[in-house]
Amino acid sequence: MSKSSLYQIQLPENPSAVVFVNGMIARDRSGFLWLWRHLNSIRQSTVKAPGCIQVKAGICGAKEIIMVSYWESDQHLMDFFRGAAHRQMMQFNTRHPDSLCLYNEMYYPAKSGKYSHEPQGMAMVYGL
């Protein structure tokens, strides 16, 4: 068994990068169908957005997904919110207000995480 190369990164004094956690839970058939029809396009539009460093998407269950994305700055993330992909999701939510449970949170790095073998997440922003 090989020894892992565990490391931490050096964060700047005032990091500008932000971690965005967002999730969607289908609450009815309409929400379920919309979620599974659009999941890949939501991920792809996020990956392609200016300032997006990395996206990690996970399936929590048949009715729930979670995405964690890493952004160069909160301004890049705010620009994404004003874009077509986000607007499309919000339009569905306006037409079907009870179909999806949506949640999101933003985090700014306070200290380095731990990484091994290859950079992921904040290590891609402030890595070696």
Side-chain angles (χ1 to χ4, degrees), residues 14-60:
N14 296 304
S16 62
V18 61
V19 180
F20 183 64
V21 178
N22 65 305
M24 293 178 240
I25 303 169
R27 300 184 71 229
D28 60 21
R29 184 176 186 274
S30 181
F32 179 84
L33 294 173
W34 187 93
L35 179 66
W36 286 104
R37 281 187 191 130
H38 293 89
L39 177 59
N40 193 48
S41 65
I42 293 168
R43 184 184 177 286
Q44 288 303 315
S45 65
T46 305
V47 166
K48 293 176 184 175
C52 182
I53 304 298
Q54 187 177 44
V55 175
K56 300 290 188 174
I59 299 169
C60 301

Side-chain angles (χ1 to χ4, degrees), residues 65-84:
I65 63 103
I66 189 166
M67 288 180 35
V68 179
S69 51
Y70 299 85
W71 297 81
E72 290 178 18
S73 69
D74 55 6
Q75 186 58 53
H76 284 101
L77 180 57
M78 295 304 133
D79 291 345
F80 176 72
F81 288 155
R82 290 187 277 280

Side-chain angles (χ1 to χ4, degrees), residues 11 13 16 47 50 83-84 88 95-96 105 110:
L11 291 173
E13 190 171 319
S16 62
V47 166
Q88 181 186 33
R95 288 190 314 272
H96 306 274
E105 300 170 343

Side-chain angles (χ1 to χ4, degrees), residues 1-5 117:
M1 179 183 238
S2 68
K3 191 175 186 179
S4 96
S5 54
H117 302 293

